[in-house]
């Protein structure tokens, strides 16, 4: 059989070649899709992942190490979000699975409602649309205010007897601002509707940044009406892809997302989420990152990333005709061009031609940057490339740029 095999070193060489056309995120060239703290942490994460890539958390009786790591990761995250005694949660494969599950659990909690709806701002993540499509729920989107934050009063007006969940984000992805969670929490509490805080992208940062960390603008379980929070460790936890956490205020709420059946010939099938087989890789990588950084390490990373974000936002604001759409609350930047002769998507295209990746989004046409800790090394290089990209677009006389997509269907 050996003679037919492609030798491992040749397979790896082929993979390296394939990778050659990808964005060079390991050197800080991507402000989207990827997260980088330090090269040392990345190597640790990848080693931990490789150690556990084949282990399966579908049944942790066989892998007690995975049970222990999941419990410790959940405990760490629950502590960051001031989860009260009695809280409970699970690790998931990331933000989309967490949002699917919280929507499913909300629907399961109210079997008496035949046409359930979720009330959420227009800025809440697209995965809620997927959840609504999958589980037969109405997505009741409420326009955001002029400052891009959710409008609590309009959300209150959108509620009715069939509302099974309210949603707020900390922060929302498109403009990077944090919704007024305390106000929305009061409404949720008074109307008896669960409130999910989507902290998938920002939770591991906001937990260390004032005024969110010190409780002046609470976003977590310190707000009484908040019933669940999601956070992704494969984002600002700097773990390998495939790792999220969902924490519920009570075990009773959490149990609504669990699925159990014995209606087949293979025995009792209990599962906490969408997946059946669940790789140990993301769990081990998450555990490794939490052990490596601890609270202090994450606090330092959050401060560094925040400083870098503000430096980048300032630099963007000095490049004519670009403007930052709102002051970032966290570590996401949204900016655009004010001159039709320099169309916003064309700037992203020119940046891509120079080896830099930013997201294109709409409405309105704007560019989005997810800043990582490692980006502090490339602030000046990026600003220079952005200035040059604007000049490229002006010189091209009429480049409009493709709209781009947040996700692709391939
Ligand atoms: C606020 C928010 N929620 C949910 C998600 C979805 O996460 P994932 O891509 O891990 O499914 C994202 C992704 O960026 C996000 O920013």
């Amino acid at each position: 059989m050996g003679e037919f095999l492609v030798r491992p070193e040749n397979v790896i060489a082929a993979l390296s070649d394939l990778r050659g056309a990808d964005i060079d995120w390991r050197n800080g060239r991507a402000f989207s899709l990827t997260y980088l703290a330090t090269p040392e942490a990345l190597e640790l994460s990848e080693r931990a992942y490789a150690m556990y890539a084949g282990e399966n958390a579908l049944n942790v009786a066989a892998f007690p190490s995975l049970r222990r790591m999941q419990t410790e990761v959940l405990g760490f995250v629950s502590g960051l979000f001031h989860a009260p005694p009695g809280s409970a949660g699970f690790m998931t494969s990331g933000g989309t699975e967490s949002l699917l599950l919280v929507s499913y659990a909300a629907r399961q909690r109210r079997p008496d409602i035949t046409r359930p709806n979720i009330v959420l701002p227009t800025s809440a993540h697209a995965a809620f649309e997927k959840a609504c499509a999958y589980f037969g729920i109405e997505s009741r989107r409420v326009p955001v205010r002029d400052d891009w934050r959710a409008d609590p009063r309009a959300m209150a007006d959108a509620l009715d007897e069939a509302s099974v969940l309210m949603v707020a984000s900390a922060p929302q992805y498109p403009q990077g601002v944090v919704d007024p969670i305390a106000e929305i929490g009061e409404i949720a509490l008074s109307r008896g509707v669960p409130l999910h805080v989507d902290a998938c992208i920002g939770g591991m940062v906001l937990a260390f940044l004032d005024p969110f960390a010190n409780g002046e603008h609470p976003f977590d379980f310190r707000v009484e009406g908040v019933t669940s929070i999601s956070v992704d460790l494969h984002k600002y936890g700097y773990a390998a892809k495939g790792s999220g956490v969902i924490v519920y205020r009570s075990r009773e709420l959490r149990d609504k997302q669990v699925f159990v059946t014995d209606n087949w010939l293979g025995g009792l099938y209990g599962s906490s989420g969408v997946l059946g087989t669940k790789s140990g890789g993301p769990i081990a990588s998450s555990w490794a990152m939490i052990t490596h950084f601890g609270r202090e390490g994450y606090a330092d990373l959050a401060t560094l990333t925040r400083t870098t974000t503000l430096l980048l936002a300032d630099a963007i604001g000095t490049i004519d005709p670009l403007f930052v759409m709102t002051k970032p609350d966290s570590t996401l930047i949204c900016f655009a061009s004010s001159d039709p002769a320099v169309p916003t998507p064309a700037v992203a295209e020119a940046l891509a031609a120079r080896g830099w990746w930013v997201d294109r989004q709409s409405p309105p046409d704007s560019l989005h940057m997810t800043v990582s800790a490692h980006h502090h090394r490339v602030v000046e290089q990026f600003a220079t490339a952005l200035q040059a990209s604007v000049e490229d677009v002006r010189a091209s006389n009429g480049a409009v740029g493709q709209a781009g997509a947040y996700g692709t269907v391939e």
Side-chain angles (χ1 to χ4, degrees), residues 94-96 99 125 171 173 198 200-201 232 234-235 406:
T96 297
L99 302 186
H125 195 269
Y173 178 86
D198 177 359
C200 283
I201 199 162
D232 291 343
H234 65 204
K235 295 190 169 81
Y406 176 93

Side-chain angles (χ1 to χ4, degrees), residues 59-126:
N59 187 332
V60 291
F63 301 106
S65 63
L66 289 177
R67 175 187 286 135
R68 178 163 169 188
M69 284 190 267
Q70 291 194 101
T71 305
E72 290 183 9
V73 168
L74 182 63
F76 183 85
V77 168
S78 301
L80 290 185
F81 295 151
H82 304 92
S87 69
F90 287 121
M91 287 191 75
T92 69
S93 61
T96 297
E97 191 185 1
S98 295
L99 302 186
L100 287 176
L101 291 170
V102 79
S103 304
Y104 175 74
R107 198 199 70 173
Q108 294 305 95
R109 185 179 153 268
R110 294 299 305 270
D112 55 310
I113 296 176
T114 43
R115 295 167 63 83
N117 67 70
I118 295 180
V119 171
L120 72 175
T122 43
S123 54
H125 195 269

Side-chain angles (χ1 to χ4, degrees), residues 4 24 111 119 123 135 216 246 320 335 356 390 402:
F4 303 115
D24 186 11
V119 171
S123 54
F135 304 129
E216 206 180 308
I246 180 161
D320 179 52
F335 70 101
W356 295 86
V390 168
Q402 297 292 316

Side-chain angles (χ1 to χ4, degrees), residues 52-403:
Y52 274 86
E55 272 74 355
N56 192 346
L58 170 62
N59 187 332
V60 291
F63 301 106
S65 63
L66 289 177
R67 175 187 286 135
R68 178 163 169 188
M69 284 190 267
Q70 291 194 101
T71 305
E72 290 183 9
V73 168
L74 182 63
F76 183 85
V77 168
S78 301
L80 290 185
F81 295 151
H82 304 92
S87 69
F90 287 121
M91 287 191 75
T92 69
S93 61
T96 297
E97 191 185 1
S98 295
L99 302 186
L100 287 176
L101 291 170
V102 79
S103 304
Y104 175 74
R107 198 199 70 173
Q108 294 305 95
R109 185 179 153 268
R110 294 299 305 270
D112 55 310
I113 296 176
T114 43
R115 295 167 63 83
N117 67 70
I118 295 180
V119 171
L120 72 175
T122 43
S123 54
H125 195 269
F128 280 109
E129 295 304 306
K130 191 187 251 189
C132 288
Y134 280 14
F135 304 129
I137 303 172
E138 179 198 342
S139 158
R140 203 166 274 185
R141 293 270 180 179
V142 178
V144 292
R145 304 185 310 210
D146 289 346
D147 65 359
W148 306 105
R149 293 177 177 84
D151 182 340
R153 208 172 303 163
M155 286 179 74
D157 290 345
L159 290 170
D160 62 19
E161 308 71 53
S163 301
V164 293
L165 186 67
M166 295 179 82
V167 173
S169 309
Q172 44 94 305
Y173 178 86
Q175 287 79 30
V177 292
V178 178
D179 289 331
I181 289 167
E183 282 171 80
I184 300 171
E186 269 178 36
I187 295 164
L189 203 59
S190 72
R191 303 285 288 269
V193 180
L195 169 61
H196 180 73
V197 171
D198 177 359
C200 283
I201 199 162
M204 294 297 291
V205 173
L206 295 183
F208 302 102
L209 285 186
D210 293 341
F212 307 100
N214 65 6
E216 206 180 308
H217 283 294
F219 70 100
D220 58 19
F221 287 109
R222 286 173 290 185
V223 175
E224 222 188 315
V226 171
T227 50
S228 54
I229 302 181
S230 52
V231 65
D232 291 343
L233 296 175
H234 65 204
K235 295 190 169 81
Y236 286 104
Y238 295 106
K241 297 285 181 282
S243 178
V245 172
I246 180 161
V247 187
Y248 290 90
R249 188 175 278 279
S250 72
R251 180 172 288 271
E252 189 199 1
L253 284 171
R254 185 194 77 160
D255 287 351
K256 298 284 183 271
Q257 83 166 54
V258 165
F259 184 80
V260 182
T261 184
D262 60 2
N263 189 19
W264 71 317
L265 302 183
L268 188 68
Y269 173 95
S271 88
S272 62
V274 174
L275 304 182
T277 284
K278 190 172 168 185
S279 169
I283 298 170
S285 162
S286 302
W287 187 88
M289 289 301 95
I290 280 167
T291 306
H292 177 58
F293 287 122
R295 277 193 183 229
E296 289 72 23
Y298 279 121
D300 285 353
L301 289 172
T303 306
L304 175 62
T305 315
R306 172 74 180 160
T307 309
T308 305
T309 304
L310 296 179
L311 284 174
L312 282 163
D314 281 351
I316 293 165
T318 63
I319 300 175
D320 179 52
L322 305 181
F323 68 100
V324 176
M325 293 187 67
T326 181
K327 185 178 178 207
D329 272 347
S330 153
T331 53
L332 310 179
I333 302 173
C334 176
F335 70 101
S337 163
S338 60
D339 181 352
V342 181
T344 301
V347 175
E349 230 160 67
L351 271 171
R354 290 176 172 271
W356 295 86
W357 190 271
V358 298
D359 262 348
R360 294 165 228 186
Q361 59 182 13
S362 64
D365 268 350
S366 50
L367 304 182
H368 186 279
M369 293 168 69
T370 302
V371 181
S372 276
H374 191 71
H375 284 131
H376 77 277
R377 299 187 179 280
V378 299
V379 172
E380 276 176 31
Q381 280 167 274
F382 176 75
T384 306
L386 184 58
Q387 174 77 61
S389 299
V390 168
E391 282 155 23
D392 292 345
V393 176
R394 282 201 197 280
S396 73
N397 252 334
V400 287
Q402 297 292 316

